[in-house]
Protein backbone atom coordinates (compact mmCIF):
# COMPACT_ATOMS: atom_id res chain seq x y z
CA UNK A 1 0.00 0.00 0.00
CA UNK A 2 1.29 3.47 -0.93
CA UNK A 3 2.52 5.42 2.10
CA UNK A 4 2.64 9.16 1.37
CA UNK A 5 4.71 9.98 4.47
CA UNK A 6 7.40 7.41 3.62
CA UNK A 7 7.42 8.58 0.00
CA UNK A 8 7.94 12.22 1.01
CA UNK A 9 10.67 11.20 3.45
CA UNK A 10 12.56 9.20 0.87
CA UNK A 11 12.16 12.01 -1.68
CA UNK A 12 13.63 14.50 0.78
CA UNK A 13 16.59 12.22 1.42
CA UNK A 14 17.18 11.89 -2.30
CA UNK A 15 16.99 15.64 -2.87
CA UNK A 16 19.53 16.37 -0.14
CA UNK A 17 21.77 13.54 -1.26
CA UNK A 18 21.83 11.49 1.95
CA UNK A 19 22.72 8.04 0.69
CA UNK A 20 25.05 5.37 1.96
CA UNK A 21 28.28 5.12 -0.02
CA UNK A 22 30.32 1.96 -0.43
CA UNK A 23 33.42 1.19 -2.47
CA UNK A 24 32.84 1.08 -6.22
CA UNK A 25 29.42 2.50 -5.47
CA UNK A 26 26.92 4.51 -7.45
CA UNK A 27 25.16 5.77 -4.30
CA UNK A 28 25.93 9.49 -3.97
CA UNK A 29 26.21 11.90 -1.10
CA UNK A 30 25.71 15.23 -2.81
CA UNK A 31 27.70 18.30 -1.79
CA UNK A 32 29.73 16.36 0.74
CA UNK A 33 33.48 16.50 0.27
CA UNK A 34 35.46 13.41 -0.64
CA UNK A 35 38.99 12.70 -1.84
CA UNK A 36 40.24 9.52 -3.51
CA UNK A 37 43.72 8.58 -4.68
CA UNK A 38 45.75 5.74 -6.13
CA UNK A 39 47.54 3.05 -4.10
CA UNK A 40 47.96 2.51 -0.37
CA UNK A 41 50.22 5.55 -0.05
CA UNK A 42 47.20 7.60 -1.08
CA UNK A 43 45.94 7.28 2.50
CA UNK A 44 48.56 9.72 3.83
CA UNK A 45 48.03 11.97 0.83
CA UNK A 46 44.28 11.95 1.42
CA UNK A 47 44.79 13.04 5.03
CA UNK A 48 46.48 16.24 3.88
CA UNK A 49 43.80 16.85 1.26
CA UNK A 50 41.07 16.20 3.81
CA UNK A 51 42.47 18.91 6.08
CA UNK A 52 41.65 21.36 3.29
CA UNK A 53 38.26 19.92 2.38
CA UNK A 54 37.15 19.65 6.00
CA UNK A 55 37.68 23.41 6.38
CA UNK A 56 35.42 23.93 3.36
CA UNK A 57 38.44 24.60 1.20
CA UNK A 58 38.65 24.34 -2.56
CA UNK A 59 39.20 20.96 -4.22
CA UNK A 60 42.12 22.40 -6.18
CA UNK A 61 43.95 23.35 -2.98
CA UNK A 62 43.17 19.93 -1.53
CA UNK A 63 44.66 17.90 -4.37
CA UNK A 64 47.80 20.02 -4.45
CA UNK A 65 48.28 19.64 -0.70
CA UNK A 66 47.62 15.91 -0.90
CA UNK A 67 49.97 15.13 -3.76
CA UNK A 68 52.79 17.05 -2.10
CA UNK A 69 52.91 14.38 0.64
CA UNK A 70 54.21 11.47 -1.48
CA UNK A 71 56.31 13.90 -3.52
CA UNK A 72 58.33 14.62 -0.36
CA UNK A 73 58.42 11.03 0.96
CA UNK A 74 61.88 9.48 0.42
CA UNK A 75 60.43 6.01 1.04
CA UNK A 76 58.10 6.29 -1.93
CA UNK A 77 60.30 5.28 -4.82
CA UNK A 78 57.82 6.10 -7.57
CA UNK A 79 57.00 9.73 -6.79
CA UNK A 80 59.27 12.75 -6.32
CA UNK A 81 62.05 12.73 -3.73
CA UNK A 82 63.49 9.25 -3.52
CA UNK A 83 62.02 8.28 -6.87
CA UNK A 84 63.99 5.72 -8.84
CA UNK A 85 66.07 7.32 -11.59
CA UNK A 86 66.12 6.75 -15.31
CA UNK A 87 68.75 4.47 -16.83
CA UNK A 88 71.27 7.32 -16.82
CA UNK A 89 70.80 7.97 -13.10
CA UNK A 90 68.61 11.09 -13.29
CA UNK A 91 65.37 11.48 -11.33
CA UNK A 92 62.97 13.13 -13.77
CA UNK A 93 59.49 14.15 -12.75
CA UNK A 94 56.10 14.63 -14.40
CA UNK A 95 53.00 16.23 -12.88
CA UNK A 96 49.74 17.92 -13.77
CA UNK A 97 46.78 19.57 -12.10
CA UNK A 98 43.28 20.52 -13.31
CA UNK A 99 40.46 22.51 -11.72
CA UNK A 100 36.68 22.77 -12.04
CA UNK A 101 36.90 25.35 -14.83
CA UNK A 102 39.08 23.23 -17.11
CA UNK A 103 42.13 25.27 -16.20
CA UNK A 104 45.15 22.99 -16.18
CA UNK A 105 48.92 23.01 -15.93
CA UNK A 106 51.61 20.42 -16.48
CA UNK A 107 55.35 19.87 -16.23
CA UNK A 108 57.26 17.11 -17.95
CA UNK A 109 60.83 15.84 -17.69
CA UNK A 110 61.53 18.17 -14.77
CA UNK A 111 64.60 17.63 -12.59
CA UNK A 112 65.73 18.80 -9.14
CA UNK A 113 62.41 20.19 -7.88
CA UNK A 114 60.74 18.61 -4.84
CA UNK A 115 57.14 19.52 -5.70
CA UNK A 116 56.38 19.34 -9.43
CA UNK A 117 52.62 19.47 -8.75
CA UNK A 118 53.05 22.99 -7.37
CA UNK A 119 55.10 24.00 -10.41
CA UNK A 120 52.31 22.61 -12.61
CA UNK A 121 49.78 24.75 -10.75
CA UNK A 122 51.97 27.79 -11.23
CA UNK A 123 52.16 27.05 -14.97
CA UNK A 124 48.35 26.99 -14.95
CA UNK A 125 47.96 30.22 -13.02
CA UNK A 126 50.89 32.33 -14.17
CA UNK A 127 51.38 31.52 -17.84
CA UNK A 128 49.23 31.37 -20.99
CA UNK A 129 50.49 27.80 -21.51
CA UNK A 130 49.51 24.39 -20.25
CA UNK A 131 52.78 22.43 -20.51
CA UNK A 132 56.39 23.28 -19.75
CA UNK A 133 59.11 20.67 -20.18
CA UNK A 134 62.70 19.92 -19.31
CA UNK A 135 65.12 22.78 -18.85
CA UNK A 136 62.40 25.33 -19.55
CA UNK A 137 60.25 23.93 -16.76
CA UNK A 138 63.23 24.05 -14.40
CA UNK A 139 64.04 27.65 -15.30
CA UNK A 140 60.41 28.62 -14.74
CA UNK A 141 60.33 26.87 -11.36
CA UNK A 142 63.51 28.55 -10.15
CA UNK A 143 62.33 31.96 -11.38
CA UNK A 144 59.24 31.50 -9.24
CA UNK A 145 60.97 30.64 -5.99
CA UNK A 146 61.51 26.90 -6.18
CA UNK A 147 64.95 25.63 -5.16
CA UNK A 148 67.04 22.96 -6.84
CA UNK A 149 67.52 19.87 -4.68
CA UNK A 150 69.13 16.48 -5.09
CA UNK A 151 66.21 14.06 -5.35
CA UNK A 152 68.29 10.88 -5.71
CA UNK A 153 68.43 9.27 -2.27
CA UNK A 154 71.17 6.78 -1.31
CA UNK A 155 68.63 3.94 -1.32
CA UNK A 156 67.43 4.70 -4.85
CA UNK A 157 70.98 5.25 -6.08
CA UNK A 158 71.97 1.85 -4.68
CA UNK A 159 69.10 0.14 -6.50
CA UNK A 160 70.02 1.91 -9.73
CA UNK A 161 73.63 0.71 -9.45
CA UNK A 162 72.41 -2.82 -8.86
CA UNK A 163 70.22 -2.54 -11.94
CA UNK A 164 73.20 -1.35 -14.01
CA UNK A 165 74.87 -4.75 -13.60
CA UNK A 166 72.41 -6.24 -16.10
CA UNK A 167 70.66 -3.10 -17.37
CA UNK A 168 67.54 -4.98 -18.40
CA UNK A 169 64.97 -2.48 -19.61
CA UNK A 170 61.71 -4.20 -18.79
CA UNK A 171 59.22 -1.54 -17.65
CA UNK A 172 56.57 -3.90 -16.31
CA UNK A 173 54.29 -2.71 -13.54
CA UNK A 174 54.39 -4.82 -10.40
CA UNK A 175 50.81 -5.91 -9.93
CA UNK A 176 51.27 -7.20 -6.37
CA UNK A 177 51.55 -3.79 -4.70
CA UNK A 178 54.99 -4.30 -3.12
CA UNK A 179 56.16 -0.72 -3.30
CA UNK A 180 57.76 -0.87 0.11
CA UNK A 181 59.26 -4.33 -0.38
CA UNK A 182 61.38 -3.96 -3.52
CA UNK A 183 63.48 -6.99 -2.69
CA UNK A 184 60.39 -9.11 -3.29
CA UNK A 185 59.66 -7.57 -6.65
CA UNK A 186 58.41 -9.81 -9.43
CA UNK A 187 59.97 -7.56 -12.09
CA UNK A 188 62.98 -9.11 -13.83
CA UNK A 189 65.83 -6.63 -13.63
CA UNK A 190 63.88 -4.03 -11.69
CA UNK A 191 62.06 -3.12 -8.48
CA UNK A 192 58.42 -2.46 -7.71
CA UNK A 193 57.28 0.20 -10.09
CA UNK A 194 53.87 1.71 -9.38
CA UNK A 195 54.77 5.12 -10.76
CA UNK A 196 51.90 7.48 -9.89
CA UNK A 197 49.95 9.32 -7.24
CA UNK A 198 46.68 10.32 -8.86
CA UNK A 199 44.18 12.22 -6.72
CA UNK A 200 40.61 13.42 -7.29
CA UNK A 201 38.55 15.60 -4.93
CA UNK A 202 35.03 16.96 -4.61
CA UNK A 203 34.58 19.95 -2.29
CA UNK A 204 31.67 21.40 -0.30
CA UNK A 205 30.66 23.56 -3.26
CA UNK A 206 30.29 20.50 -5.46
CA UNK A 207 33.40 21.34 -7.50
CA UNK A 208 35.94 18.80 -8.72
CA UNK A 209 39.70 18.97 -9.19
CA UNK A 210 42.50 16.48 -9.74
CA UNK A 211 46.27 16.13 -9.74
CA UNK A 212 48.95 13.59 -10.70
CA UNK A 213 52.64 13.30 -9.91
CA UNK A 214 55.28 10.69 -10.71
CA UNK A 215 58.94 9.95 -11.18
CA UNK A 216 57.87 7.54 -13.88
CA UNK A 217 59.06 4.09 -14.81
CA UNK A 218 62.17 2.98 -12.99
CA UNK A 219 65.26 3.01 -15.23
CA UNK A 220 63.31 4.37 -18.19
CA UNK A 221 65.05 5.78 -21.25
CA UNK A 222 66.26 9.30 -20.47
CA UNK A 223 63.59 11.71 -21.66
CA UNK A 224 60.69 9.29 -21.45
CA UNK A 225 57.35 10.87 -20.46
CA UNK A 226 54.34 8.78 -19.52
CA UNK A 227 50.65 9.55 -19.20
CA UNK A 228 50.72 11.31 -15.82
CA UNK A 229 51.38 14.89 -17.05
CA UNK A 230 49.18 14.57 -20.13
CA UNK A 231 45.74 16.12 -19.68
CA UNK A 232 43.17 13.61 -20.91
CA UNK A 233 45.48 10.65 -20.45
CA UNK A 234 46.69 10.54 -16.84
CA UNK A 235 44.08 13.00 -15.59
CA UNK A 236 40.87 14.64 -16.71
CA UNK A 237 38.27 16.74 -14.91
CA UNK A 238 34.87 17.78 -16.25
CA UNK A 239 32.96 19.59 -13.54
CA UNK A 240 29.60 18.73 -15.12
CA UNK A 241 30.31 15.00 -15.09
CA UNK A 242 33.26 13.77 -13.04
CA UNK A 243 36.98 13.21 -12.95
CA UNK A 244 39.36 10.32 -13.59
CA UNK A 245 43.01 9.43 -13.20
CA UNK A 246 45.19 6.46 -14.05
CA UNK A 247 48.21 4.47 -12.97
CA UNK A 248 50.32 1.84 -14.65
CA UNK A 249 51.96 1.61 -18.05
CA UNK A 250 51.45 5.13 -19.31
CA UNK A 251 52.01 4.33 -22.96
CA UNK A 252 48.86 2.19 -22.96
CA UNK A 253 46.84 4.93 -21.26
CA UNK A 254 48.01 7.54 -23.78
CA UNK A 255 46.93 5.34 -26.68
CA UNK A 256 43.30 5.48 -25.58
CA UNK A 257 43.39 8.93 -23.91
CA UNK A 258 42.27 6.93 -20.90
CA UNK A 259 41.09 9.38 -18.25
CA UNK A 260 39.11 11.42 -20.76
CA UNK A 261 37.56 8.20 -22.01
CA UNK A 262 36.47 7.26 -18.49
CA UNK A 263 34.81 10.65 -18.01
CA UNK A 264 33.03 10.34 -21.35
CA UNK A 265 31.70 6.93 -20.32
CA UNK A 266 30.41 8.47 -17.08
CA UNK A 267 28.75 11.20 -19.17
CA UNK A 268 26.65 8.41 -20.68
CA UNK A 269 25.25 7.73 -17.23
CA UNK A 270 27.18 4.62 -16.20
CA UNK A 271 28.83 4.19 -12.81
CA UNK A 272 32.46 5.15 -12.17
CA UNK A 273 33.53 1.52 -11.77
CA UNK A 274 31.86 0.49 -15.01
CA UNK A 275 33.42 3.47 -16.81
CA UNK A 276 36.84 2.37 -15.59
CA UNK A 277 36.12 -1.21 -16.61
CA UNK A 278 35.18 -0.16 -20.13
CA UNK A 279 38.43 1.80 -20.48
CA UNK A 280 40.39 -1.25 -19.31
CA UNK A 281 38.46 -3.34 -21.83
CA UNK A 282 39.56 -0.95 -24.58
CA UNK A 283 43.21 -1.59 -23.69
CA UNK A 284 42.81 -5.35 -23.36
CA UNK A 285 40.94 -5.71 -26.65
CA UNK A 286 43.60 -3.75 -28.50
CA UNK A 287 46.20 -6.41 -27.74
CA UNK A 288 44.92 -9.23 -25.48
CA UNK A 289 48.23 -11.08 -25.39
CA UNK A 290 50.20 -8.00 -24.42
CA UNK A 291 47.63 -7.11 -21.77
CA UNK A 292 48.46 -10.28 -19.86
CA UNK A 293 51.84 -8.81 -18.96
CA UNK A 294 51.02 -5.23 -18.04
CA UNK A 295 49.06 -3.26 -15.50
CA UNK A 296 46.84 -0.24 -15.93
CA UNK A 297 44.33 0.96 -13.37
CA UNK A 298 41.72 3.70 -13.61
CA UNK A 299 40.11 5.58 -10.73
CA UNK A 300 37.04 7.77 -11.14
CA UNK A 301 34.93 10.18 -9.09
CA UNK A 302 31.54 11.30 -10.31
CA UNK A 303 29.98 14.71 -9.74
CA UNK A 304 27.49 13.15 -7.31
CA UNK A 305 30.26 11.81 -5.08
CA UNK A 306 30.15 8.19 -6.23
CA UNK A 307 33.49 6.57 -7.05
CA UNK A 308 34.99 3.42 -8.47
CA UNK A 309 38.03 1.76 -10.00
CA UNK A 310 39.03 -1.07 -12.28
CA UNK A 311 42.38 -2.48 -13.43
CA UNK A 312 43.90 -5.08 -15.73
CA UNK A 313 45.71 -7.22 -13.15
CA UNK A 314 44.76 -7.80 -9.54
CA UNK A 315 46.69 -5.76 -6.99
CA UNK A 316 45.65 -2.17 -7.66
CA UNK A 317 44.46 -0.41 -4.51
CA UNK A 318 43.03 3.03 -3.89
CA UNK A 319 42.38 5.17 -0.84
CA UNK A 320 39.16 7.02 0.06
CA UNK A 321 38.60 9.75 2.64
CA UNK A 322 35.30 11.43 3.45
CA UNK A 323 33.28 12.35 6.51
CA UNK A 324 31.97 8.79 6.49
CA UNK A 325 35.09 6.71 5.94
CA UNK A 326 38.84 6.46 5.68
CA UNK A 327 39.55 3.25 3.87
CA UNK A 328 41.74 1.47 1.33
CA UNK A 329 39.88 -0.51 -1.32
CA UNK A 330 41.13 -3.28 -3.59
CA UNK A 331 40.06 -2.72 -7.18
CA UNK A 332 38.38 -5.39 -9.23
CA UNK A 333 40.45 -6.56 -12.18
CA UNK A 334 40.11 -7.96 -15.67
CA UNK A 335 42.42 -10.90 -14.99
CA UNK A 336 41.94 -12.68 -11.66
Amino acid sequence: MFNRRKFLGSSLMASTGWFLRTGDSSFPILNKPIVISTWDFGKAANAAAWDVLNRKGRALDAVEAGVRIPEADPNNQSVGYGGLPDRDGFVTLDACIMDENSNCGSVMFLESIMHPVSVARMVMEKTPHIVLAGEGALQFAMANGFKKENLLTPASEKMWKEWLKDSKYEPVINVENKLYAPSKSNIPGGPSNHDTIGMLALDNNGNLSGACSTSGMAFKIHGRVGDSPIIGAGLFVDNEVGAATSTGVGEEVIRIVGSHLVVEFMRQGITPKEACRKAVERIVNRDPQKAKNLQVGFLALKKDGSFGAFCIQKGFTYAVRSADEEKIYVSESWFN
Side-chain angles (χ1 to χ4, degrees), residues 8 18 90 104 106 110 124 129 131 155 179 197 210 284 287 312:
L8 289 174
W18 291 98
F90 298 99
C104 45
S106 169
L110 174 65
M124 177 181 76
H129 310 305
V131 182
L179 181 69
I197 173 72
V284 172
D287 192 335
I312 297 178

Side-chain angles (χ1 to χ4, degrees), residues 39-251:
W39 302 110
D40 290 14
F41 56 73
K43 183 176 181 180
N46 285 358
W50 183 251
D51 284 344
V52 177
L53 294 174
N54 200 36
R55 297 194 306 267
K56 302 189 185 307
R58 189 180 174 196
L60 182 69
D61 295 328
V63 295
E64 181 187 8
V67 166
R68 284 172 63 96
I69 299 302
E71 284 183 338
D73 182 0
N75 295 314
N76 187 327
Q77 293 183 305
S78 63
V79 181
Y81 179 49
L84 291 166
D86 61 24
R87 66 181 185 182
D88 295 334
F90 298 99
V91 179
T92 65
L93 308 175
D94 304 323
C96 72
I97 195 165
M98 190 170 187
D99 74 6
E100 72 275 16
N101 298 311
S102 297
N103 297 312
C104 45
S106 169
V107 290
M108 302 177 181
F109 192 45
L110 174 65
E111 295 182 47
S112 306
I113 300 297
M114 181 75 73
H115 292 297
V117 70
S118 295
V119 182
R121 181 170 180 175
M122 201 165 283
V123 171
M124 177 181 76
E125 294 179 339
K126 289 196 169 186
T127 81
H129 310 305
I130 292 176
V131 182
L132 293 181
E135 186 64 27
L138 177 59
Q139 290 175 1
F140 173 79
M142 293 176 66
N144 284 278
F146 292 87
K147 293 183 174 15
K148 289 181 70 173
E149 301 181 62
N150 179 18
L151 303 181
L152 183 62
T153 60
S156 291
E157 184 177 18
K158 180 180 179 182
M159 293 179 69
W160 169 61
K161 288 180 177 177
E162 283 294 314
W163 174 83
L164 283 175
K165 294 176 181 178
D166 295 319
S167 298
K168 292 181 180 178
Y169 183 63
E170 297 178 288
V172 180
I173 292 296
N174 178 357
V175 300
E176 295 185 2
N177 200 12
K178 297 172 181 171
L179 181 69
Y180 295 105
S183 64
K184 298 179 182 178
S185 170
N186 62 355
I187 303 174
S192 303
N193 197 6
H194 288 311
D195 92 321
T196 306
I197 173 72
M199 177 175 283
L200 310 170
L202 177 71
D203 62 30
N204 277 278
N205 293 319
N207 290 323
L208 293 158
S209 290
C212 278
S213 187
T214 184
S215 55
M217 291 286 199
F219 319 133
K220 61 196 174 186
I221 295 172
H222 188 62
R224 181 261 185 187
V225 172
D227 65 307
S228 295
I230 299 176
I231 301 298
L235 175 73
F236 193 71
V237 176
D238 185 322
N239 207 45
E240 293 183 357
V241 179
T245 188
S246 64
T247 185
V249 180
E251 285 77 2

